[in-house]
Amino acid sequence: MAGKIRDSSIAEVRETARIDEVVGDFVTLRNAGGGSMKGLCPFHDEKSPSFHVTPARHFFHCFGCGKGGDVISFLQEMAGLGFVEAVEQLADRFGVVLQREEGSEREQSGPRGPQRSRLVEVNRVAAEYYTEQLAGPDAVVARRFLDERGFDQAAAATFGLGFAPRDGEALHRHLLDRGFTTDEAVAAGVVAIGRSPYDRFRGRLLWPIRDASNATIGFGARRLFDDDKIEAKYLNTPETTLYKKSQVLYGLDLARREIGRTSQAVIVEGYTDVMACHLAGVTTAVATCGTAFGDDHARVLRRFLDDHEEFRGEVIFTFDGDAAGQKAALRAFGGDQNFVSQTYVAVEPSGMDPCDLRIKAGDAAVRELVARRVPLYRFVLGNIVGKYDLDRADGRVDALREAARLVSSIRDRSKVDAFAREVAQMIGIDIDEARAEVRRAAARGPAAAPDRSTRGERTARRAEDEAAAAPPPAPRLPDLRDPRFLIERETLKLVVQHPGAVGSTIAGVDGDDFTHPTYRGVWEAVARAGGPAAGSADPAWSSRLRAAAGDDAVVARVLGELTVESLRGSAAPDPRYVAAHVYRLQELTLARRIDTLKSRLQRTNPVDDAAEYNKMFGELVALEQARRALRERAVGE
């Protein structure tokens, strides 16, 4: 068994691996100034970007949820890897040769069972095998299927298409020959267990489904033969460690960079539609895999769209023109508020999907379909209103009621009035009438009645008694960004980001110089890590500080903020900037001591306690002199 990875190799991985490149596999990052980049956080849902990456310090931090760390912890979190597996994956990607301790066992991390990297490798080898089979004599039907839909050999190669042989154990045997176990093949979802192991996909055309980092995580399979015992037209990989259908978008590996560049995403309904769009020049197309577009899909897509108030893009849904397509549009409208971007719908009047449209009318027709998009809300409301005879008074009333129910269900209240105005225009009624009906529809919504029973009253009284008996809440700490703590925060940013720049200037600082308890805790973590001098030549200084924070989640979160937040002055501080903050910090400490001493002097009788009074007065003079000296150094240097 391989030995434990040496600390020097782990440090080399941290320093060599491009954190902006790794994070960029999951998030669209834009320049935020001061050597930092930002995007929408992949760890929580947000409308404004608060996730920062600082490549020079190999660090990330989210100001929204507080998550932060280095490139290794990011990959662990996003890919569900253990520490060792994440280090090995990064080392392989960035060409770092890992050195291991002699004779020590390799550390294990995470649950028992095949490692994620092994499952990715199973899928990669399976995809290669399927691709080879597509060129064989048994795949004539599969090649004919592609040819009839306008996909040539080059298109099949671009999308990595393959063919699963009808022999029910061919892939399983191939994987065993390549050194994989049956357990690994089953865990990856390409082999199933019945009386004996068998290939999950047999006699089908295969689309490899890849994640944003281009790793194959599953497959979609299309029925080709009439005697296929499984009647479903499409089969997909079952839920596995890698493949979660509620979070997977087919084509994202090819589309993600264009989605980030153009801030546009086109959502289609199938694998062939994605292929048709990309080949026609609509290179931002993606599709769900055997499930409706849901909230988790929206969260994934928003990260690549960089979808926030400051940078609105476009999300364009394509639906068939039939009843099922209209139903899908209603579902999409229900999730419309997941996006800050404007949502649109593109429907071909003849009802053709992008694949059929490309066959019948060519690439330009597919591009024209997307260009002719209409706002999603207008399409949905138009379908509702269109069901009624608006020449009749009762038809207008019924249309208004149904449309108002839909409008009143919108969570984003800022959009309600605009939609009510659109409904009024569609039906041909006064805007005030439409607004009134929307308000009535909202009022008719379900409301829970209060519990007036004796049991309910007893429960309420018991809750009140428990609340009264509970200890008083801890005093709330002041806001860390309160201007009172500006010098403390800026000084700590210097220590965290530029420990070498502070040099001996920081020598006189200690925990008493920080009045906010959290900032004091950060300084104590700095001291435990060896002080600023220890970080001056340490590329892993940020990681060492987080380790020094221990179990204090608040201090760890603030350390993350201080690591990525730009300095107020410049990206590279000069000695004057350092002196202005460090000496000002110490001056403020002396000012607090002077105020305390003046208060004591005021309470001391200079006649009855002459000795004590004179002693304090001498201390006051010395403190004032020291304060002036610090002020002069802060300004002069």
Side-chain angles (χ1 to χ4, degrees), residues 381-403 422-429:
L381 292 174
N383 282 338
I384 289 174
V385 172
K387 295 188 299 183
Y388 297 96
D389 183 356
L390 301 182
D391 292 331
R392 295 170 55 95
D394 58 346
R396 291 193 295 274
V397 170
D398 291 341
L400 176 59
R401 283 177 179 168
E402 185 174 349
E422 193 86 13
V423 169
Q425 186 177 349
M426 286 179 174
I427 299 175
I429 59 174

Side-chain angles (χ1 to χ4, degrees), residues 18 49 123 275 556:
R18 293 269 314 264
N123 279 312
M275 293 178 68

Side-chain angles (χ1 to χ4, degrees), residues 240-375:
T240 68
T241 301
L242 302 179
Y243 182 85
K244 311 290 183 187
K245 67 180 180 181
S246 66
Q247 301 171 12
V248 171
L249 289 168
Y250 174 71
L252 188 60
D253 56 309
L254 297 173
R256 68 181 185 87
R257 296 201 183 280
E258 278 301 293
I259 288 173
R261 188 183 69 82
T262 64
S263 287
Q264 181 198 74
V266 177
I267 300 164
V268 298
E269 294 193 320
Y271 305 126
T272 56
D273 292 334
V274 170
M275 293 178 68
C277 283
H278 279 257
L279 295 172
V282 182
T283 52
T284 57
V286 295
T288 58
C289 302
T291 185
F293 189 88
D295 292 349
D296 287 340
H297 294 119
R299 277 189 279 274
V300 170
L301 198 55
R302 287 189 65 239
R303 297 202 306 266
F304 293 99
L305 273 169
D306 198 24
D307 177 46
H308 56 86
E309 281 94 344
E310 302 166 18
F311 203 91
R312 291 172 183 252
E314 292 183 350
V315 178
I316 303 169
F317 294 90
T318 66
F319 300 115
D320 295 342
D322 55 14
Q326 294 184 18
K327 188 176 180 181
L330 271 172
R331 281 197 306 268
F333 183 77
D336 170 69
Q337 294 149 93
N338 288 319
F339 295 102
V340 175
S341 296
Q342 303 297 315
T343 49
Y344 297 86
V345 62
V347 175
E348 170 59 31
S350 64
M352 287 188 289
D353 59 31
C355 182
D356 291 336
L357 182 62
R358 180 171 177 266
I359 295 169
K360 293 288 193 300
D363 292 347
V366 177
R367 295 193 296 272
E368 181 66 20
L369 168 67
V370 174
R372 287 198 319 265
R373 67 206 182 281
V374 296

Side-chain angles (χ1 to χ4, degrees), residues 541-559:
W541 176 238
S542 298
S543 298
R544 194 200 297 188
L545 288 178
R546 285 182 69 85
D551 296 330
D552 193 327
V554 175
V555 169
R557 177 178 62 80
V558 174
L559 268 168

